Amino acid sequence: MLSIHYQSIPIMNKLAYALLTCIVILSLSTSCEKDSIRVPVQTIELSASSFTLATDSVRIVVAQLSPNNTTDTNITWTSSNQHVAIVDQSGNVKGISPGTTVISATSPDGKISASCEVDVIKWTLHKGGLGFVEEGINAMALDKEGNIWICGQNVIKLGSQGAWLMNNSNLNPSAISFDNQGFAWIGTGSGLYRYDGSKWEVFTTENSGLKDNSIITLATDNTGRVIASHFNRESLLGTGASEFDGNSWKYYSSANGLVYDNVISMAIDKSGVRWFVTTNGISSFDGEKWNSYGASNVGVAHIGLVHSVAVDSNNNKWFGTNSGLIKFDGTKWESFTNQNSGMIGGSVTAIAFDNNKNLWVATGAGLAHFDGVKWKVFDRYNHPVQDIRTILTTPDGKIYIGTGLGLLIASLRD
């Protein structure tokens, strides 16, 4: 076998050999480049267009790139406001502080991108840390000075300087509301209490026109009118509602127009019309005429399952049901469920409106926010309590939530 040693090749042949070697290497390199042709990203699709996130919690956003054989897989993740939320290069988004940010995924060449909006909320649960021990909170109201009145076993006033025990007579209040003079009205199992800023006064069947001492819900309006609905604890039956205008009393029952005596929620709208939610339908009374609404005259499937009512700034009536919300604008009835909208599922337990006219609604599955167009949902994955009983919004943008475990405060901005 003939063997050629490089050292024995003449100098000119050595140059030719080296040149041939370079040509072979260059050819192989060119062939490899042809085999790894760049396939650019054409579209990026994220797994969510928007979502809510609690502070200190993490959610992953997945980016789907097309075409499937793209070679530009090293996308860049960014947050428009890292004070609100940050994102790593795997798409893990972490909530930092209350607010809104935009999370974006961008192709390596910067030409293609996709984004989603993230709302971060901060939850604070107080279980006795505000100078009082209240776990089962059933009702709340805001007075004209901006103090929050909380009804649990006792009556607590919460202000910027701390918390005060307003009444520790074991009232077990079920409802609270303020009239146009700033007086606090509190419904209990032993009568209707009024606080004028210095003294307490109690109205009972013995000293007033109150029909029944057991009160389950209240409604007031800007004329000073207060309505209390009753539930007899002995018969376990509703006994209608008593109205006081500051001078005289009226009584509403099924005998004079109310659809049913078991009234479980009430509201007075901007026109002075009283709305009564009963366990057998809805009644309205304008002072002269009664109207009743139920399955027979309203084309909404779950109208018979209503258990709460609230009135917004446009005088729309919102009814909470076992399977969603019903809105009545005076002419049209409209249903919102988790099947036909972004509404959170479950039975509605509380309804409130904030200063920006946004709707807040609680169900057994969590909390939802509706601005008239878009829904935002805070479900069991990003809020700490399910047993929501009442909601109160304040001018500073905070949401106070009364639960079976204590007072839950939601902050949407710093």
Side-chain angles (χ1 to χ4, degrees), residues 378-389:
F378 307 92
D379 58 21
R380 64 183 181 275
Y381 298 108
N382 57 29
H383 89 81
V385 176
Q386 301 303 311
D387 182 15
I388 298 176
R389 303 178 182 183

Side-chain angles (χ1 to χ4, degrees), residues 220-243:
T220 58
D221 67 4
N222 58 10
T223 69
R225 181 187 294 121
V226 58
I227 310 176
S229 69
H230 307 294
F231 183 80
N232 189 287
R233 298 179 187 272
E234 294 180 1
S235 65
L236 301 181
L237 296 172
T239 53
S242 300
E243 176 181 301

Side-chain angles (χ1 to χ4, degrees), residues 197-382:
S198 59
K199 67 178 185 299
W200 289 90
E201 182 178 5
V202 60
F203 298 88
T204 68
T205 56
E206 289 75 27
N207 66 8
S208 72
L210 196 69
K211 179 65 176 179
D212 196 308
N213 288 333
S214 183
I215 297 168
I216 57 174
T217 186
L218 292 174
T220 58
D221 67 4
N222 58 10
T223 69
R225 181 187 294 121
V226 58
I227 310 176
S229 69
H230 307 294
F231 183 80
N232 189 287
R233 298 179 187 272
E234 294 180 1
S235 65
L236 301 181
L237 296 172
T239 53
S242 300
E243 176 181 301
F244 183 53
D245 64 5
N247 296 304
S248 60
W249 292 83
K250 294 179 181 178
Y251 176 59
Y252 305 123
S253 72
S254 55
N256 61 12
L258 191 63
V259 67
Y260 193 58
D261 284 338
N262 191 20
V263 179
I264 54 178
S265 182
M266 299 182 299
I268 306 174
D269 71 17
K270 310 300 182 185
S271 302
V273 177
R274 297 81 153 168
W275 291 85
F276 303 88
V277 170
T278 80
T279 52
N280 194 32
I282 302 167
S283 287
S284 67
F285 180 58
D286 63 6
E288 296 181 0
K289 180 183 178 182
W290 285 90
N291 288 300
S292 294
Y293 307 92
S296 62
N297 62 350
V298 176
V300 177
H302 50 294
I303 189 68
L305 304 173
V306 175
H307 46 70
S308 60
V309 58
V311 180
D312 67 21
S313 60
N314 294 320
N315 212 31
N316 298 305
K317 272 62 72 174
W318 293 81
F319 299 93
T321 80
N322 283 358
S323 55
L325 283 170
I326 299 173
K327 176 186 175 183
F328 181 51
D329 64 6
T331 303
K332 180 180 66 177
W333 295 84
E334 186 176 4
S335 173
F336 297 87
T337 69
N338 61 340
Q339 284 80 37
N340 67 9
S341 72
M343 167 71 186
I344 195 168
S347 179
V348 175
T349 59
I351 304 171
F353 305 96
D354 63 26
N355 281 10
N356 295 319
K357 302 182 180 181
N358 299 312
L359 166 72
W360 289 86
V361 57
T363 76
L367 187 68
H369 165 277
F370 183 52
D371 63 5
V373 178
K374 184 171 64 175
W375 289 88
K376 295 178 182 179
V377 172
F378 307 92
D379 58 21
R380 64 183 181 275
Y381 298 108
N382 57 29

Side-chain angles (χ1 to χ4, degrees), residues 22 100 130 145 157 249 290 309 361 384 387 391 394:
C22 291
T100 300
L130 293 172
E145 284 80 30
K157 183 171 75 170
W249 292 83
W290 285 90
V309 58
V361 57
D387 182 15
I391 303 172
T394 57

Side-chain angles (χ1 to χ4, degrees), residues 6 11-27:
Y6 183 78
I11 186 66
M12 291 302 295
N13 289 342
K14 287 182 181 180
L15 293 174
Y17 183 81
L19 180 60
L20 179 61
T21 302
C22 291
I23 293 173
V24 171
I25 293 173
L26 183 60
S27 175

